[in-house]
Amino acid sequence: MSSGFQRSYGRTVNPFVCPKPNSDSILIGGSGDDGERWTRVITLRAARLLWVHLGTYLYPEEFANSARGLNTIPLRGAGLPNITTDLQLDPLDEGECEIVGRGSGSEWSARLDSEHAPLLWAAL
């Protein structure tokens, strides 16, 4: 799944999330296959989408009832700079999943294993 992206971080460990100071944006990141730390700026909407997708992926039975009505997540204001505005989650083999981010005319991806996906979900 990771081929064809402008940037693929590969399997990611030590995921993190933090609010961007003086902004309505969120920083997410981790350490990629090459050992280098990566970060991406995402909108609050994209962070909420990722939280919903990861929750549904990690805890399908428990999350199904509590996530009703979360599909009406607001969009980012039109006057703000373009950043990652849309995210999807693709399940992979061996209990891994891949985050695919889009925005600003670019696409990126990062893979999480069963140990690190729950850490990112909890941080979101």
Side-chain angles (χ1 to χ4, degrees):
M1 281 280 209
S2 295
S3 62
F5 295 104
Q6 289 154 334
R7 184 67 174 113
S8 178
Y9 301 106
R11 180 172 291 144
T12 294
V13 297
N14 304 320
F16 66 88
V17 174
C18 65
K20 189 173 177 196
N22 303 316
S23 174
D24 67 343
S25 303
I26 304 287
L27 293 173
I28 68 168
S31 298
D33 278 339
D34 57 5
E36 293 293 317
R37 185 174 175 190
W38 63 268
T39 61
R40 296 301 293 213
V41 179
I42 65 174
T43 62
L44 287 174
R45 177 184 184 273
R48 290 179 183 134
L49 284 171
L50 181 56
W51 182 80
V52 168
H53 289 309
L54 274 172
T56 302
Y57 171 73
L58 294 168
Y59 315 106
E61 293 165 7
E62 298 91 344
F63 202 75
N65 293 328
S66 62
R68 295 181 200 276
L70 292 177
N71 56 353
T72 56
I73 297 171
L75 296 172
R76 183 175 170 87
L80 298 172
N82 288 332
I83 57 177
T84 299
T85 55
D86 191 31
L87 288 164
Q88 73 182 56
L89 190 77
D90 293 329
L92 303 174
D93 294 335
E94 301 173 16
E96 291 186 346
C97 61
E98 182 173 44
I99 301 167
V100 177
R102 292 180 181 88
S104 302
S106 67
E107 291 186 353
W108 60 273
S109 73
R111 288 191 331 264
L112 295 169
D113 61 21
S114 60
E115 177 184 350
H116 294 93
L119 296 175
L120 181 59
W121 182 79
L124 288 166

